[in-house]
């Protein structure tokens, strides 16, 4: 069982928006602004999409955005495109030098 | 080109040992925190260990403490993970990754470790 809780699946049609949640506790998500999100296509390595809750690395489309409220972080993908179909994982610093991941959400673009 | 390339994975019997390597190129390896993470179909992604840029600080997930050792050779731009007393539950794809702004911005392609008799 993963430390952070994500919905196993999410879906949307091209052009729509979808939000994926990542729920932790006050010891991880709620306690630090060190939540990051990763996109992983089958058979590939994870790719960083969002860091420090809401910042986008260079090269990541601004269709991807992150936010946090209390113990829940969220990733929103706007203007869904076919290539956005992938698994998405959140992770958070959890103090005492530890890091925790979510179980992953499979995003399907219908 | 910025990249990380893992090697050293394979099939090992329970109780055995394996040493993973990660070769870095295209960035200042000696200035970066580095991390090992693993991924299994059942448990998803899991942080395993990390090491400070100069090797002076190392951290481990509880399940591998006392069995795994992370190390680095900055002169050779290389990261290592020595895995001893391997268990079936250590079976996973192991990734090395670069720490950047409290995230991981560069990942290797992964190396598969299978612990089975």
């Amino acid at each position: 069982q993963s430390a952070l809780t994500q919905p196993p699946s999410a879906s949307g049609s091209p052009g729509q928006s979808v939000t994926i949640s990542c729920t932790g506790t006050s010891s991880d998500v709620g306690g630090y602004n060190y939540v990051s999100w990763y996109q992983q296509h089958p058979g590939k390595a994870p790719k960083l999409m969002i860091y420090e809750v809401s910042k986008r690395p260079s090269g990541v489309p601004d269709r991807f955005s992150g936010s946090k409220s209390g113990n829940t972080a969220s990733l929103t993908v706007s203007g869904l495109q076919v290539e956005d179909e992938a698994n998405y994982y959140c992770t958070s610093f959890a103090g005492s030098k530890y890091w925790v991941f979510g179980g992953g959400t499979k995003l399907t673009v219908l | 080109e910025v990249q990380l390339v893992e090697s050293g994975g394979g099939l090992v019997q329970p109780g055995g040992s394996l040493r993973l390597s990660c070769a870095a190129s295209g960035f200042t390896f000696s200035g970066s925190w580095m991390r090992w993470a693993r991924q299994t179909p059942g448990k998803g992604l899991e942080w395993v260990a990390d090491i400070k840029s100069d090797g002076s600080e190392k951290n481990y997930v509880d399940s591998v403490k006392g069995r795994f050792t992370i190390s680095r050779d900055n002169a050779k731009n290389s990261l290592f993970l020595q895995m001893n007393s391997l268990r079936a539950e250590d079976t996973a794809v192991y990734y090395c990754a670069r720490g950047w702004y409290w995230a991981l911005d560069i990942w290797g392609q992964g190396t598969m470790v299978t612990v089975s008799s």
Side-chain angles (χ1 to χ4, degrees):
Chain A
Q1 188 171 358
S2 301
L4 304 180
T5 301
Q6 296 181 236
S9 63
S11 63
S13 300
Q16 288 186 332
S17 293
V18 65
T19 297
I20 299 170
S21 62
C22 170
T23 301
T25 69
S26 58
S27 297
D28 38 65
V29 174
Y32 306 93
N33 287 323
Y34 299 140
V35 176
S36 51
W37 289 89
Y38 301 85
Q39 176 192 67
Q40 187 179 35
H41 288 105
K44 300 294 186 180
K47 174 187 176 183
L48 178 64
M49 305 302 285
I50 296 289
Y51 68 101
E52 292 182 1
V53 176
S54 59
K55 299 177 182 178
R56 271 189 317 277
S58 174
V60 172
D62 59 7
R63 302 184 293 103
F64 291 85
S65 62
S67 63
K68 189 184 85 168
S69 177
N71 297 336
T72 298
S74 299
L75 173 72
T76 298
V77 186
S78 305
L80 271 174
Q81 298 184 3
V82 172
E83 58 264 34
D84 298 335
E85 184 163 299
N87 291 308
Y88 291 83
Y89 296 89
C90 62
T91 186
S92 174
F93 182 63
S96 301
K97 314 295 177 62
Y98 280 77
W99 295 83
V100 290
F101 278 93
T105 298
K106 180 176 174 57
L107 175 60
T108 301
V109 181
L110 303 169
Chain B
E1 180 186 6
V2 173
Q3 66 175 356
L4 295 168
V5 179
E6 302 94 337
S7 60
L11 174 64
V12 61
Q13 292 187 338
S17 298
L18 216 52
R19 189 191 196 210
L20 304 184
S21 299
C22 172
S25 59
F27 66 95
T28 306
F29 179 77
S30 61
S32 303
W33 274 83
M34 295 297 297
R35 200 171 297 166
W36 287 99
R38 63 188 179 184
Q39 185 170 32
T40 64
K43 290 187 66 177
L45 279 165
E46 180 183 38
W47 165 74
V48 175
D50 57 25
I51 185 169
K52 194 175 179 179
S53 55
D54 62 0
S56 62
E57 185 177 337
K58 305 174 185 181
N59 303 294
Y60 302 89
V61 68
D62 283 347
S63 60
V64 309
K65 279 182 181 177
R67 301 188 299 122
F68 289 13
T69 301
I70 189 172
S71 62
R72 64 193 297 161
D73 184 339
N74 285 344
K76 295 183 178 179
N77 290 340
S78 294
L79 176 72
F80 306 101
L81 186 67
Q82 177 67 44
M83 304 186 296
N84 298 331
S85 302
L86 282 162
R87 306 167 180 168
E89 53 265 35
D90 296 318
T91 295
V93 175
Y94 284 73
Y95 294 98
C96 65
R98 183 179 80 161
W100 181 81
Y101 284 101
W102 299 89
L104 301 173
D105 69 329
I106 305 169
W107 293 68
Q109 85 288 352
T111 187
M112 182 70 205
V113 172
T114 303
V115 184
S116 175
S117 55

PDB file of all heavy atoms in Angstrom, chain B residues 19 29 36 51 55 58 60 69-73 78-82:
ATOM      1  N   ARG B  19      25.323  -5.707  -7.386  1.00  0.00           N
ATOM      2  CA  ARG B  19      25.768  -4.318  -7.342  1.00  0.00           C
ATOM      3  C   ARG B  19      25.306  -3.597  -8.593  1.00  0.00           C
ATOM      4  O   ARG B  19      25.692  -3.978  -9.710  1.00  0.00           O
ATOM      5  CB  ARG B  19      27.292  -4.230  -7.233  1.00  0.00           C
ATOM      6  CG  ARG B  19      27.795  -2.804  -6.972  1.00  0.00           C
ATOM      7  CD  ARG B  19      29.295  -2.701  -7.142  1.00  0.00           C
ATOM      8  NE  ARG B  19      29.835  -1.473  -6.553  1.00  0.00           N
ATOM      9  CZ  ARG B  19      30.908  -0.844  -7.007  1.00  0.00           C
ATOM     10  NH1 ARG B  19      31.552  -1.324  -8.062  1.00  0.00           N
ATOM     11  NH2 ARG B  19      31.335   0.248  -6.406  1.00  0.00           N
ATOM     12  N   PHE B  29      27.875  15.976 -12.247  1.00  0.00           N
ATOM     13  CA  PHE B  29      27.499  14.889 -11.340  1.00  0.00           C
ATOM     14  C   PHE B  29      27.938  15.195  -9.914  1.00  0.00           C
ATOM     15  O   PHE B  29      27.182  14.974  -8.964  1.00  0.00           O
ATOM     16  CB  PHE B  29      28.146  13.593 -11.833  1.00  0.00           C
ATOM     17  CG  PHE B  29      27.863  12.398 -10.968  1.00  0.00           C
ATOM     18  CD1 PHE B  29      26.642  11.745 -11.027  1.00  0.00           C
ATOM     19  CD2 PHE B  29      28.843  11.900 -10.104  1.00  0.00           C
ATOM     20  CE1 PHE B  29      26.393  10.630 -10.236  1.00  0.00           C
ATOM     21  CE2 PHE B  29      28.601  10.793  -9.308  1.00  0.00           C
ATOM     22  CZ  PHE B  29      27.367  10.161  -9.372  1.00  0.00           C
ATOM     23  N   TRP B  36      18.305   6.458  -5.761  1.00  0.00           N
ATOM     24  CA  TRP B  36      17.815   5.215  -6.356  1.00  0.00           C
ATOM     25  C   TRP B  36      16.340   5.064  -5.999  1.00  0.00           C
ATOM     26  O   TRP B  36      15.950   5.283  -4.850  1.00  0.00           O
ATOM     27  CB  TRP B  36      18.580   3.996  -5.832  1.00  0.00           C
ATOM     28  CG  TRP B  36      19.972   3.855  -6.359  1.00  0.00           C
ATOM     29  CD1 TRP B  36      21.136   4.218  -5.751  1.00  0.00           C
ATOM     30  CD2 TRP B  36      20.350   3.301  -7.628  1.00  0.00           C
ATOM     31  NE1 TRP B  36      22.211   3.929  -6.536  1.00  0.00           N
ATOM     32  CE2 TRP B  36      21.766   3.359  -7.698  1.00  0.00           C
ATOM     33  CE3 TRP B  36      19.662   2.748  -8.696  1.00  0.00           C
ATOM     34  CZ2 TRP B  36      22.493   2.887  -8.808  1.00  0.00           C
ATOM     35  CZ3 TRP B  36      20.372   2.283  -9.802  1.00  0.00           C
ATOM     36  CH2 TRP B  36      21.766   2.353  -9.849  1.00  0.00           C
ATOM     37  N   ILE B  51      21.964   9.990  -1.795  1.00  0.00           N
ATOM     38  CA  ILE B  51      23.301  10.323  -1.343  1.00  0.00           C
ATOM     39  C   ILE B  51      23.617  11.766  -1.734  1.00  0.00           C
ATOM     40  O   ILE B  51      23.318  12.204  -2.849  1.00  0.00           O
ATOM     41  CB  ILE B  51      24.345   9.340  -1.923  1.00  0.00           C
ATOM     42  CG1 ILE B  51      25.740   9.613  -1.364  1.00  0.00           C
ATOM     43  CG2 ILE B  51      24.358   9.364  -3.455  1.00  0.00           C
ATOM     44  CD1 ILE B  51      26.754   8.509  -1.696  1.00  0.00           C
ATOM     45  N   GLY B  55      28.923  12.732  -0.999  1.00  0.00           N
ATOM     46  CA  GLY B  55      28.881  11.420  -0.382  1.00  0.00           C
ATOM     47  C   GLY B  55      28.823  11.428   1.134  1.00  0.00           C
ATOM     48  O   GLY B  55      28.847  10.363   1.767  1.00  0.00           O
ATOM     49  N   LYS B  58      23.893   9.924   3.584  1.00  0.00           N
ATOM     50  CA  LYS B  58      23.171   8.862   2.889  1.00  0.00           C
ATOM     51  C   LYS B  58      21.894   8.551   3.660  1.00  0.00           C
ATOM     52  O   LYS B  58      21.893   8.558   4.888  1.00  0.00           O
ATOM     53  CB  LYS B  58      24.036   7.593   2.805  1.00  0.00           C
ATOM     54  CG  LYS B  58      25.392   7.805   2.163  1.00  0.00           C
ATOM     55  CD  LYS B  58      26.250   6.554   2.239  1.00  0.00           C
ATOM     56  CE  LYS B  58      27.645   6.831   1.695  1.00  0.00           C
ATOM     57  NZ  LYS B  58      28.515   5.612   1.739  1.00  0.00           N
ATOM     58  N   TYR B  60      18.180   5.960   3.630  1.00  0.00           N
ATOM     59  CA  TYR B  60      17.608   4.728   3.101  1.00  0.00           C
ATOM     60  C   TYR B  60      16.169   4.559   3.571  1.00  0.00           C
ATOM     61  O   TYR B  60      15.810   4.946   4.694  1.00  0.00           O
ATOM     62  CB  TYR B  60      18.398   3.509   3.576  1.00  0.00           C
ATOM     63  CG  TYR B  60      19.862   3.516   3.217  1.00  0.00           C
ATOM     64  CD1 TYR B  60      20.811   4.086   4.057  1.00  0.00           C
ATOM     65  CD2 TYR B  60      20.299   2.941   2.023  1.00  0.00           C
ATOM     66  CE1 TYR B  60      22.157   4.090   3.723  1.00  0.00           C
ATOM     67  CE2 TYR B  60      21.642   2.928   1.682  1.00  0.00           C
ATOM     68  CZ  TYR B  60      22.570   3.505   2.541  1.00  0.00           C
ATOM     69  OH  TYR B  60      23.896   3.496   2.193  1.00  0.00           O
ATOM     70  N   THR B  69      23.633  -0.509   0.332  1.00  0.00           N
ATOM     71  CA  THR B  69      24.553   0.592   0.551  1.00  0.00           C
ATOM     72  C   THR B  69      24.667   1.413  -0.728  1.00  0.00           C
ATOM     73  O   THR B  69      25.003   0.869  -1.795  1.00  0.00           O
ATOM     74  CB  THR B  69      25.947   0.093   0.958  1.00  0.00           C
ATOM     75  OG1 THR B  69      25.851  -0.682   2.160  1.00  0.00           O
ATOM     76  CG2 THR B  69      26.882   1.272   1.205  1.00  0.00           C
ATOM     77  N   ILE B  70      24.399   2.702  -0.616  1.00  0.00           N
ATOM     78  CA  ILE B  70      24.550   3.613  -1.745  1.00  0.00           C
ATOM     79  C   ILE B  70      25.924   4.258  -1.661  1.00  0.00           C
ATOM     80  O   ILE B  70      26.412   4.579  -0.564  1.00  0.00           O
ATOM     81  CB  ILE B  70      23.419   4.664  -1.765  1.00  0.00           C
ATOM     82  CG1 ILE B  70      23.439   5.478  -3.055  1.00  0.00           C
ATOM     83  CG2 ILE B  70      23.470   5.547  -0.529  1.00  0.00           C
ATOM     84  CD1 ILE B  70      22.234   6.408  -3.218  1.00  0.00           C
ATOM     85  N   SER B  71      26.563   4.436  -2.802  1.00  0.00           N
ATOM     86  CA  SER B  71      27.866   5.094  -2.835  1.00  0.00           C
ATOM     87  C   SER B  71      28.035   5.771  -4.185  1.00  0.00           C
ATOM     88  O   SER B  71      27.232   5.571  -5.098  1.00  0.00           O
ATOM     89  CB  SER B  71      28.997   4.090  -2.578  1.00  0.00           C
ATOM     90  OG  SER B  71      29.020   3.102  -3.593  1.00  0.00           O
ATOM     91  N   ARG B  72      29.094   6.555  -4.303  1.00  0.00           N
ATOM     92  CA  ARG B  72      29.348   7.260  -5.542  1.00  0.00           C
ATOM     93  C   ARG B  72      30.838   7.458  -5.741  1.00  0.00           C
ATOM     94  O   ARG B  72      31.612   7.484  -4.781  1.00  0.00           O
ATOM     95  CB  ARG B  72      28.617   8.591  -5.573  1.00  0.00           C
ATOM     96  CG  ARG B  72      29.069   9.594  -4.521  1.00  0.00           C
ATOM     97  CD  ARG B  72      28.080  10.764  -4.417  1.00  0.00           C
ATOM     98  NE  ARG B  72      28.001  11.528  -5.669  1.00  0.00           N
ATOM     99  CZ  ARG B  72      26.989  12.334  -5.988  1.00  0.00           C
ATOM    100  NH1 ARG B  72      25.951  12.444  -5.168  1.00  0.00           N
ATOM    101  NH2 ARG B  72      26.994  13.026  -7.117  1.00  0.00           N
ATOM    102  N   ASP B  73      31.236   7.634  -6.991  1.00  0.00           N
ATOM    103  CA  ASP B  73      32.611   7.962  -7.352  1.00  0.00           C
ATOM    104  C   ASP B  73      32.525   9.190  -8.261  1.00  0.00           C
ATOM    105  O   ASP B  73      32.250   9.061  -9.465  1.00  0.00           O
ATOM    106  CB  ASP B  73      33.271   6.781  -8.065  1.00  0.00           C
ATOM    107  CG  ASP B  73      34.739   7.045  -8.383  1.00  0.00           C
ATOM    108  OD1 ASP B  73      35.151   8.221  -8.438  1.00  0.00           O
ATOM    109  OD2 ASP B  73      35.482   6.073  -8.586  1.00  0.00           O
ATOM    110  N   SER B  78      29.946   8.250 -11.389  1.00  0.00           N
ATOM    111  CA  SER B  78      29.208   7.001 -11.221  1.00  0.00           C
ATOM    112  C   SER B  78      28.544   6.887  -9.854  1.00  0.00           C
ATOM    113  O   SER B  78      29.093   7.321  -8.845  1.00  0.00           O
ATOM    114  CB  SER B  78      30.145   5.809 -11.414  1.00  0.00           C
ATOM    115  OG  SER B  78      30.617   5.742 -12.741  1.00  0.00           O
ATOM    116  N   LEU B  79      27.377   6.273  -9.868  1.00  0.00           N
ATOM    117  CA  LEU B  79      26.594   6.000  -8.668  1.00  0.00           C
ATOM    118  C   LEU B  79      26.442   4.498  -8.543  1.00  0.00           C
ATOM    119  O   LEU B  79      26.341   3.793  -9.565  1.00  0.00           O
ATOM    120  CB  LEU B  79      25.215   6.662  -8.801  1.00  0.00           C
ATOM    121  CG  LEU B  79      24.194   6.426  -7.687  1.00  0.00           C
ATOM    122  CD1 LEU B  79      24.600   7.199  -6.427  1.00  0.00           C
ATOM    123  CD2 LEU B  79      22.800   6.868  -8.147  1.00  0.00           C
ATOM    124  N   PHE B  80      26.404   4.016  -7.296  1.00  0.00           N
ATOM    125  CA  PHE B  80      26.315   2.571  -7.090  1.00  0.00           C
ATOM    126  C   PHE B  80      25.255   2.240  -6.044  1.00  0.00           C
ATOM    127  O   PHE B  80      24.923   3.067  -5.192  1.00  0.00           O
ATOM    128  CB  PHE B  80      27.669   2.016  -6.623  1.00  0.00           C
ATOM    129  CG  PHE B  80      28.809   2.375  -7.525  1.00  0.00           C
ATOM    130  CD1 PHE B  80      29.677   3.415  -7.198  1.00  0.00           C
ATOM    131  CD2 PHE B  80      29.016   1.690  -8.718  1.00  0.00           C
ATOM    132  CE1 PHE B  80      30.720   3.766  -8.034  1.00  0.00           C
ATOM    133  CE2 PHE B  80      30.062   2.030  -9.561  1.00  0.00           C
ATOM    134  CZ  PHE B  80      30.914   3.067  -9.221  1.00  0.00           C
ATOM    135  N   LEU B  81      24.767   1.016  -6.123  1.00  0.00           N
ATOM    136  CA  LEU B  81      23.889   0.481  -5.084  1.00  0.00           C
ATOM    137  C   LEU B  81      24.297  -0.961  -4.841  1.00  0.00           C
ATOM    138  O   LEU B  81      24.074  -1.826  -5.695  1.00  0.00           O
ATOM    139  CB  LEU B  81      22.420   0.563  -5.479  1.00  0.00           C
ATOM    140  CG  LEU B  81      21.426   0.146  -4.375  1.00  0.00           C
ATOM    141  CD1 LEU B  81      21.467   1.157  -3.215  1.00  0.00           C
ATOM    142  CD2 LEU B  81      19.998   0.046  -4.922  1.00  0.00           C
ATOM    143  N   GLN B  82      24.927  -1.203  -3.699  1.00  0.00           N
ATOM    144  CA  GLN B  82      25.294  -2.561  -3.313  1.00  0.00           C
ATOM    145  C   GLN B  82      24.120  -3.166  -2.560  1.00  0.00           C
ATOM    146  O   GLN B  82      23.691  -2.625  -1.534  1.00  0.00           O
ATOM    147  CB  GLN B  82      26.541  -2.554  -2.422  1.00  0.00           C
ATOM    148  CG  GLN B  82      26.952  -3.911  -1.902  1.00  0.00           C
ATOM    149  CD  GLN B  82      27.426  -4.838  -3.022  1.00  0.00           C
ATOM    150  OE1 GLN B  82      28.168  -4.435  -3.902  1.00  0.00           O
ATOM    151  NE2 GLN B  82      26.995  -6.094  -2.967  1.00  0.00           N
TER     152      GLN B  82
END
